[in-house]
Amino acid sequence: MANHPLVSATPLPNFDAIIQFTLGTVASSSAETYQRTFDLWADFCMNHRLHPLDLRPHHVQDFLISQPVTKRTRQRHLAALRKLARTLALDPNYPQFRAVYEALRLMQTPEQNAGGKERERRVLNHHQVMRVLDVWQEDKLIHRRNRALLAVLFYTGLRRAEVRMLRWADLELDTGIIRVRHGKGDKFREVSIITGQEDTAVHALRAYQAALHAATNQNREFVFCSIRKGDKPGKDKPVNVRAINQIVEHTAQQCGVTFTPHDARRTLGTDLLAQSFPVPDVQAQLGHSHASTTIQNYAMPAQARQRRKRFKTSY
């Protein structure tokens, strides 16, 4: 592998060590995404005989263009590499990385050769949400878990990674509050378990909690764990992201409603905004840093007939 062109008298840190340190500075919800980016970056550097800490913008741009993914995924790759450069720039032993980090901050995500297909943004209506939840009606532990997991997605707007890391200690079912200890950007927030025509999510969580306790006869730490053959609970650790995706995909096949975990979040945010709830409240529920994100991604334009009924001029 080629020498690093920015090397100084101080030896550079081990790449794997600096990666692990960087991952330790982000929320678990971001760590998995960052790790995938770092693995791809390491492969790219090996194939092009580059030092993996050579984060100069022209190399990063070549890497991004080489990935046949959507622009949104490229943005996530760039964010991860910026974080890596920032970790190095904060160390006084490596002042040469300050300029590299500042250059990456100014860098725009390249659109050249962007591949893939941007995900369709779906918002489910009331009947579709009910069809989704009704897939899991049997008195089995796996049905109780899956119904509770889907209800949390649709009635809290939590991100998939936030749902998988929930602990029972984070839930206040009597008051309908969930504490998200490590949200996006490793931020803490409290969210409401929103009620619909019924307190669907709270009821689903209570039923699942009772079934889980009956199956284990002990208090568990994590809310959503794996279910083994024979409808037996697995180890007391969070389900992985792939398992959540599989639950959603199987549910969609059974009920005929196509959706993703993020569509559940979008459904809640869009529904709350459509009912004219204040944007700051919806923003806080969803954990957005900026109100513009809430408005641009979740506010759906009203139909012309609906606008005609609501709009009145002052003249």
Side-chain angles (χ1 to χ4, degrees), residues 229-246:
K229 290 183 178 179
D231 206 39
K232 303 295 184 182
K235 295 181 179 180
D236 188 7
K237 63 180 184 179
V239 294
N240 55 41
V241 169
R242 183 179 179 184
I244 295 178
N245 290 340
Q246 290 174 338

Side-chain angles (χ1 to χ4, degrees), residues 27-301:
S28 57
S29 57
S30 300
E32 292 184 8
T33 301
Y34 280 27
Q35 182 66 71
R36 288 193 292 271
T37 297
F38 295 149
D39 290 342
L40 291 170
W41 170 250
D43 290 342
F44 174 84
C45 291
M46 181 176 294
N47 292 334
H48 291 78
R49 299 185 61 80
L50 297 173
H51 194 290
L53 294 181
D54 188 353
L55 295 164
R56 289 178 296 173
H58 62 282
H59 290 321
V60 171
Q61 178 165 299
D62 289 344
F63 162 71
L64 295 174
I65 293 175
S66 73
Q67 302 301 309
V69 295
T70 64
K71 182 179 178 181
R72 188 179 297 272
T73 300
R74 284 183 177 178
Q75 290 171 338
R76 288 194 286 266
H77 288 333
L78 179 56
L81 294 177
R82 280 176 180 154
K83 184 70 173 180
L84 179 60
R86 183 172 184 268
T87 301
L88 290 163
L90 291 174
D91 192 327
N93 292 317
Y94 310 108
Q96 67 271 34
F97 281 101
R98 294 173 188 168
V100 173
Y101 170 61
E102 292 299 331
L104 289 182
R105 287 185 62 191
L106 297 174
M107 181 177 172
Q108 298 294 316
T109 305
E111 298 184 13
Q112 180 182 348
N113 297 329
K117 182 180 179 181
E118 296 290 352
R119 294 177 182 174
E120 180 182 352
R121 297 182 177 184
R122 303 182 187 88
V123 175
L124 278 61
N125 60 38
H126 166 75
H127 298 292
Q128 290 174 320
V129 174
M130 293 302 102
R131 284 167 58 187
V132 166
L133 296 177
D134 286 347
V135 169
W136 307 100
Q137 292 277 33
E138 296 182 26
D139 189 19
K140 295 180 179 179
L141 181 60
I142 191 169
H143 277 249
R144 299 291 193 191
R145 183 202 64 179
N146 292 356
R147 182 178 174 85
L149 188 150
L150 291 167
V152 168
L153 286 171
F154 277 103
Y155 289 95
T156 67
L158 292 182
R159 300 176 178 90
R160 175 182 54 188
E162 294 170 343
V163 171
R164 68 175 289 266
M165 295 303 297
L166 284 178
R167 291 170 166 82
W168 287 109
D170 298 329
L171 275 59
E172 293 183 8
L173 297 182
D174 291 337
T175 57
I177 298 297
I178 293 178
R179 289 181 292 273
V180 181
R181 300 190 180 278
H182 300 283
K184 190 173 183 178
D186 205 25
K187 296 178 181 178
F188 172 88
R189 76 181 190 280
E190 290 187 339
V191 303
S192 302
I193 305 176
I194 309 296
T195 58
Q197 295 182 354
E198 299 178 358
D199 207 353
T200 306
V202 169
H203 290 162
L205 283 165
R206 288 192 186 281
Y208 168 52
Q209 185 179 39
L212 185 61
H213 188 271
T216 61
N217 198 30
Q218 61 181 353
N219 294 323
R220 308 269 287 194
E221 179 181 6
F222 291 99
V223 176
F224 298 112
C225 60
S226 62
I227 306 295
R228 299 178 298 172
K229 290 183 178 179
D231 206 39
K232 303 295 184 182
K235 295 181 179 180
D236 188 7
K237 63 180 184 179
V239 294
N240 55 41
V241 169
R242 183 179 179 184
I244 295 178
N245 290 340
Q246 290 174 338
I247 292 169
V248 169
E249 290 169 3
H250 180 75
T251 303
Q253 292 173 357
Q254 292 297 309
C255 68
V257 177
T258 301
F259 72 103
T260 66
H262 202 83
D263 289 334
R265 173 177 168 84
R266 183 176 294 108
T267 295
L268 177 68
T270 301
D271 186 75
L272 295 177
L273 290 175
Q275 296 183 69
S276 300
F277 287 105
V279 171
D281 289 346
V282 180
Q283 175 189 353
Q285 178 75 19
L286 299 177
H288 290 150
S289 298
H290 306 286
S292 59
T293 303
T294 309
I295 296 172
Q296 292 172 6
N297 295 328
Y298 295 84
M300 302 292 285

